């Protein structure tokens, strides 16, 4: 008989390994809020199971990032089957990244303001949008004439001068979101209108007299500038408005506040300044004033004085002639009329002429010198004797023959 022979056959379960599919393998980081699918394959063609930990959640094969700073760890397992052993677990770390916020919107109730020194112009700012819990900050460009402040939950922009203000708003980053800046908002602050108060009534002053011109006032911070239209009549201090009279005539004194950083130029306001010449009068000097009459042939000096200290000119008519201030009587019966005049100069008016009448008188003749060539004659009826009688007055010879 044969003795049976046997052997023991041991059948062991097959092994398996897991590997991430290409899409999952390519994932390195995901931002907060992102969702993505994962997948792994088993070398035994069995279905893996998944789990997550850290900053994410899992629903089936969909992972959602719940943090922008805590990484997400995903794992895959396969427990095996009756014929396949469990696979070693595989894992993958997906780095967390901050998400981009929704757009941050910045606007203003008005973007056009006008400078006001007493009540600064302002406007409310409206900020909306963005994401997360980051703080909102608002500012303006360095050196710009505006400031912003938060009061009662409302951002307000207030102007401190005229110009352009570039307003910025930013919501800061938090654990899940990057920081977000709004598009810049431009607010324009226009220059204020300037006013000028100035006495514009015409003024008249005599040359040489004291004159104090009016001064102007303005609401502008610009320095007022003064000017004169005719500096040959009067000059004016451009800063103070003080007037210096230098001639006779008319000039227009004007004042204006020019434009500056915060104010427009003011209107120009003016007054007319009329400068009149100094009047003068003439008077005869004592010697001339004492003249009443002059005889034919007399020569005498006349003179007058001007209240302005100017030199008069002289003329004569009637029975006399004049050279300079020397008058000669040319008649003993026709009166002599002397006149004095002064035409003035650039700053002095002409004087009214003055006259004086000198009565003409006859010249007293000198005594005649009478002589004869003989004082004793003898009567001769046949040949009468003759004598020459001579009469002399100055150089004139009067001859007379008598029988």
């Amino acid at each position: 008989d044969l003795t049976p022979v046997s052997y023991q056959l041991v059948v062991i379960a097959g092994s398996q390994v897991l590997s991430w599919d290409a899409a999952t393998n390519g994932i390195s980081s995901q931002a907060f809020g992102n969702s993505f699918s994962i997948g792994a394959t088993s070398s035994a063609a069995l279905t893996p199971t998944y789990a997550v930990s850290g900053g994410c959640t899992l629903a089936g094969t969909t992972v959602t990032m719940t943090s922008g700073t805590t990484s997400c760890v995903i794992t895959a397992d396969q427990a095996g089957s009756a014929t396949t052993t469990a696979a070693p677990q595989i894992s993958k770390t997906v780095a967390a990244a901050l998400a981009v916020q929704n757009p941050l919107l910045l606007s203003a109730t008005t973007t056009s303001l006008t400078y006001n020194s007493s009540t600064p112009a302002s406007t409310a700012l409206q900020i909306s949008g963005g994401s997360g819990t980051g703080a909102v900050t608002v500012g303006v460009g360095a050196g710009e004439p505006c400031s912003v402040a938060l009061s009662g939950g409302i951002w307000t922009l207030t102007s401190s001068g005229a110009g352009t203000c570039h307003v910025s708003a930013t919501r800061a980053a938090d654990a899940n979101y990057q920081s977000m800046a709004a598009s810049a908002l431009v607010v324009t602050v226009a220059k204020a209108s300037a006013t000028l108060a100035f006495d514009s009534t015409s003024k008249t002053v005599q040359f040489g007299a004291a004159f104090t011109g009016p001064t102007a006032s303005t609401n502008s911070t610009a320095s007022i500038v003064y000017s004169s239209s005719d500096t040959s009549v009067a000059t004016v201090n451009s800063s103070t408005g003080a007037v210096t009279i230098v001639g006779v005539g008319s000039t227009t004194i004007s004042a204006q506040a020019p434009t500056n950083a915060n104010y427009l130029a003011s209107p120009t306001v003016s007054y007319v300044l009329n400068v009149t010449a100094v009047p003068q009068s003439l008077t005869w000097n004592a010697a001339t004033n004492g003249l009443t009459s002059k005889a034919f042939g007399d020569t005498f000096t006349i003179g007058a004085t001007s209240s302005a200290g100017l030199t008069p000119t002289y003329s004569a008519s009637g029975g006399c002639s004049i050279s300079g201030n020397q008058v000669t009587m040319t008649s003993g019966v026709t009166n002599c009329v002397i006149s004095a005049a002064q035409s003035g100069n650039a700053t002095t008016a002409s004087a009214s002429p003055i006259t004086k009448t000198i009565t003409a008188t006859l010249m007293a003749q000198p005594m005649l010198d009478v002589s004869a060539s003989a004082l004793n004659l003898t009567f001769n009826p046949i040949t009468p004797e003759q004598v020459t009688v001579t009469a002399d007055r100055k150089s004139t010879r009067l001859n007379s023959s008598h029988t």
Side-chain angles (χ1 to χ4, degrees):
D1 292 332
L2 294 174
T3 302
V5 178
S6 63
Y7 63 91
Q8 184 177 10
L9 176 63
V10 177
V11 180
I12 62 175
S15 63
Q16 64 173 325
V17 295
L18 299 175
S19 60
W20 296 111
D21 61 23
T24 304
N25 205 47
I27 297 171
S28 59
S29 64
Q30 288 289 320
F32 167 76
N34 282 0
S35 293
F36 54 97
S37 297
I38 57 174
T41 58
S42 164
S43 59
L46 301 176
T47 302
T49 59
Y50 305 99
V52 296
S53 62
C56 53
T57 59
L58 178 66
T61 59
T62 300
V63 178
T64 300
M65 297 296 291
T66 58
S67 173
T69 53
T70 301
S71 297
C72 173
V73 179
I74 57 176
T75 59
D77 290 280
Q78 216 302 310
S81 63
T83 59
T84 305
T85 60
Q89 184 184 70
I90 60 174
S91 66
K92 181 175 179 64
T93 299
V94 178
L98 297 177
V100 176
Q101 294 187 38
N102 291 327
L104 188 65
L105 306 178
L106 172 63
S107 61
T109 302
T110 178
T111 57
S112 297
L113 303 175
T114 299
Y115 175 73
N116 188 317
S117 60
S118 57
T119 304
S122 63
T123 183
L125 302 176
Q126 294 82 41
I127 302 169
S128 60
S131 306
T133 59
V136 174
T137 57
V138 182
V140 295
E144 294 181 342
C146 297
S147 61
V148 291
L150 181 63
S151 177
I154 298 174
W155 286 98
T156 301
L157 178 143
T158 302
S159 65
S160 57
T164 302
C165 301
H166 298 82
V167 188
S168 61
T170 303
R171 184 181 289 278
D174 60 11
N176 297 318
Y177 289 97
Q178 302 172 18
S179 63
M180 173 60 70
S183 297
L185 176 70
V186 178
V187 176
T188 301
V189 185
K191 293 181 179 182
S193 297
T195 59
L196 189 79
F198 195 40
D199 180 5
S200 60
T201 57
S202 296
K203 294 154 184 63
T204 300
V205 63
Q206 181 179 293
F207 181 82
F211 176 73
T212 300
T215 55
S217 61
T218 179
N219 65 332
S220 172
T221 54
S223 297
I224 296 172
V225 177
Y226 299 86
S227 62
S228 170
S229 65
D230 190 343
T231 55
S232 67
V233 175
T235 61
V236 62
N237 185 299
S238 62
S239 300
T240 66
V243 174
T244 301
I245 295 172
V246 295
V248 171
S250 294
T251 185
T252 300
I253 305 297
S254 302
Q256 184 191 43
T259 186
N260 66 1
N262 295 324
Y263 287 87
L264 298 170
S266 75
T268 297
V269 184
S270 308
Y271 68 88
V272 175
L273 176 62
N274 300 303
V275 182
T276 59
V278 178
Q280 64 170 324
S281 60
L282 298 176
T283 55
W284 294 113
N285 61 22
T288 305
N289 208 43
L291 296 172
T292 57
S293 63
K294 283 293 183 179
F296 167 75
D298 283 354
T299 296
F300 52 94
T301 300
I302 61 173
T305 58
S306 161
S307 59
L310 303 177
T311 302
T313 58
Y314 304 99
S315 61
S317 62
C320 54
S321 63
I322 191 167
S323 176
N325 63 345
Q326 298 292 311
V327 179
T328 300
M329 297 297 291
T330 58
S331 173
V333 292
T334 302
N335 292 336
C336 173
V337 179
I338 57 173
S339 301
Q342 216 302 312
S343 59
N345 59 17
T347 59
T348 305
S350 60
S352 297
I354 57 174
T355 61
K356 183 175 179 65
T357 300
I358 309 297
T359 301
T361 61
L362 298 175
M363 176 190 292
Q365 294 190 38
M367 184 178 292
L368 290 175
D369 292 330
V370 180
S371 62
S373 58
L375 297 178
N376 297 304
L377 302 176
T378 299
F379 175 74
N380 187 331
I382 305 233
T383 304
E385 291 189 53
Q386 293 183 343
V387 64
T388 299
V389 178
T390 303
D392 181 52
R393 185 184 70 185
K394 296 185 179 179
S395 61
T396 301
R397 292 286 181 178
L398 297 178
N399 297 317
S400 176
S401 298
H402 301 272
T403 301

